[in-house]
Amino acid sequence: MRRFQERHHADGGRRRVGPFDRESAGVEEETAPKGRVLRFAERRGWRWLGRVLQVQRRYGELRGNNLAASVTMQSFLSLFPLLLLVVAVLGFVSARSGTDVAARIVGQLGLSGDAADAIRDAVEAAERSRRASSVVGLLGLTWSSLGLVAALQYAFDQVWQVEDRGAKDKAFGLLWLGGAGILFVGAAGATTALRWLPGALAPLGVLVTTAVTFGLWLWTSKVLPNVDVGWRPLVPGAILGTLGLEVLKVVGAYWVPRAVASSSELYGTIGVVFAVLAWLLLFGKLVVYAAVLDVVLYEGKRGTKRATVELPDHSMVADEVTRSGRSELSARR
């Protein structure tokens, strides 16, 4: 397979990357399936299809699945302090109202067996420890959110092929959290105000939610990576992320409850974890794909620059390396 050669050139090694570029799309032979697809796209003038091939090739070169797994794990860990806050709220609601909160949750999620028992036990525990869980949850949520932010920063930096900021990344993480908090508070205020409007204007709520998601995605792409390319090159990834997340929400609303119910019957309480992890893995892949889209389109406008990469001098070393800095022959071994 052709690999991205990173060598030093006196002129800087800049290269324009068109939508039908064979090397960027990973086309080995014109008669191969990928080569045929690229030729078909070129004949039709479908630039978007050429970019799709480039995005997929880049995702594989950067070990996108590994990056997505890192985001998935940190997202999963950040759920626990968030659940503490939810437990605190449930505790206050359940203790001060006559509503059977546990029964409503079980009914809405369609749970049964061990999963339903786990929900009932959690609500009962919440009523006993609602005050402590609210304080611990707030502190834990802030700390674990920085862990999630660090995973996002690592993923974005790997896609843009830049080093991290070191200790400064924590400060940028707090900046991101502050901006995200402002967006959520503004969205909550707008949603509350829309409830006073006539029912015919209800679709405005969907527009507000979509706009907030887009703004959060754009804010994330701008603040977290250690690169400054302006706002406009980040718009395509934000659009993909927004649309993809809306699809995941719909899928989650229908699939997650059923997956939780079926998994809990087969594996017990741990089945809930499997279902949640599966959804979060899709979210992690969406994050990486959105970032890769921004980079590929940015290279299409600004080009690429080849640089020197040092490798251990062993018998399997080669001049050609992948985007991840691995030697081509070593990668095949």
Side-chain angles (χ1 to χ4, degrees):
M1 177 181 292
R2 296 181 183 176
R3 296 292 182 176
F4 183 82
Q5 286 188 312
E6 296 187 336
R7 296 176 179 173
H8 179 73
H9 293 271
D11 61 354
R14 295 187 184 277
R15 184 174 71 91
R16 304 291 293 182
V17 183
F20 308 115
D21 185 83
R22 266 60 178 169
E23 181 181 347
S24 297
V27 174
E28 297 182 15
E29 300 177 359
E30 296 295 328
T31 57
K34 189 180 293 185
R36 294 176 179 176
V37 172
L38 190 60
R39 289 204 316 275
F40 174 79
E42 190 171 8
R43 289 196 302 267
R44 294 282 184 172
W46 291 355
R47 301 167 61 90
W48 63 269
L49 184 54
R51 295 301 186 191
V52 168
L53 294 176
Q54 292 175 4
V55 167
Q56 184 58 44
R57 202 280 179 110
R58 183 68 54 81
Y59 183 90
E61 280 189 317
L62 295 172
R63 305 296 193 271
N65 286 336
N66 293 340
L67 297 179
S70 175
V71 174
T72 299
M73 181 55 65
Q74 290 295 343
S75 300
F76 180 72
L77 294 177
S78 69
L79 287 178
F80 291 100
L82 177 60
L83 287 175
L84 284 176
L85 289 178
V86 175
V87 163
V89 173
L90 288 176
F92 281 108
V93 172
S94 179
R96 298 186 180 184
S97 67
T99 304
D100 190 346
V101 177
R104 293 190 63 179
I105 295 176
V106 170
Q108 290 179 358
L109 295 180
L111 302 179
S112 61
D114 292 338
D117 294 337
I119 293 296
R120 296 189 186 95
D121 294 340
V123 173
E124 292 178 1
E127 294 180 3
R128 297 191 300 268
S129 60
R130 57 185 181 275
R131 296 185 182 277
S133 61
S134 61
V135 177
V136 175
L138 181 60
L139 296 177
L141 178 61
T142 303
W143 178 257
S144 66
S145 295
L146 290 178
L148 172 60
V149 171
L152 291 173
Q153 287 173 324
Y154 175 76
F156 277 109
D157 287 341
Q158 290 297 308
V159 174
W160 282 100
Q161 297 177 256
V162 295
E163 289 292 336
D164 57 46
R165 303 183 183 92
K168 293 181 180 179
D169 270 344
K170 292 291 184 182
F172 279 90
L174 292 174
L175 175 63
W176 178 84
L177 286 175
I182 293 174
L183 284 173
F184 283 126
V185 170
T191 303
T192 303
L194 289 174
R195 292 178 180 176
W196 297 92
L197 297 177
L201 299 178
L204 288 177
V206 178
L207 293 178
V208 170
T209 302
T210 304
V212 170
T213 304
F214 174 80
L216 180 60
W217 211 285
L218 190 62
W219 174 250
T220 302
S221 303
K222 173 65 176 176
V223 174
L224 294 188
N226 186 22
V227 64
D228 185 12
V229 296
W231 292 93
R232 183 174 297 180
L234 306 177
V235 170
I239 294 176
L240 175 61
T242 301
L243 296 178
L245 188 58
E246 292 303 318
V247 172
L248 286 180
K249 288 179 182 178
V250 174
V251 171
Y254 290 95
W255 174 75
V256 170
R258 291 170 174 76
V260 168
S262 60
S263 298
S264 61
E265 292 178 359
L266 184 61
Y267 301 105
T269 306
I270 195 65
V272 179
V273 176
F274 295 156
V276 173
L277 280 175
W279 189 91
L280 289 177
L281 181 58
L282 294 177
F283 170 74
K285 289 177 176 288
L286 178 61
V287 170
V288 179
Y289 269 114
V292 170
L293 176 63
D294 284 336
V295 175
V296 168
L297 294 181
Y298 183 80
E299 290 179 353
K301 293 181 178 180
R302 299 294 298 272
T304 63
K305 183 178 180 179
R306 298 188 176 186
T308 302
V309 174
E310 288 192 64
L311 301 173
D313 188 10
H314 50 77
S315 59
M316 298 297 292
V317 71
D319 292 334
E320 299 181 2
V321 298
T322 65
R323 284 276 182 164
S324 60
R326 294 180 176 86
S327 174
E328 179 185 16
L329 295 180
S330 295
R332 291 179 176 178
R333 187 177 182 181

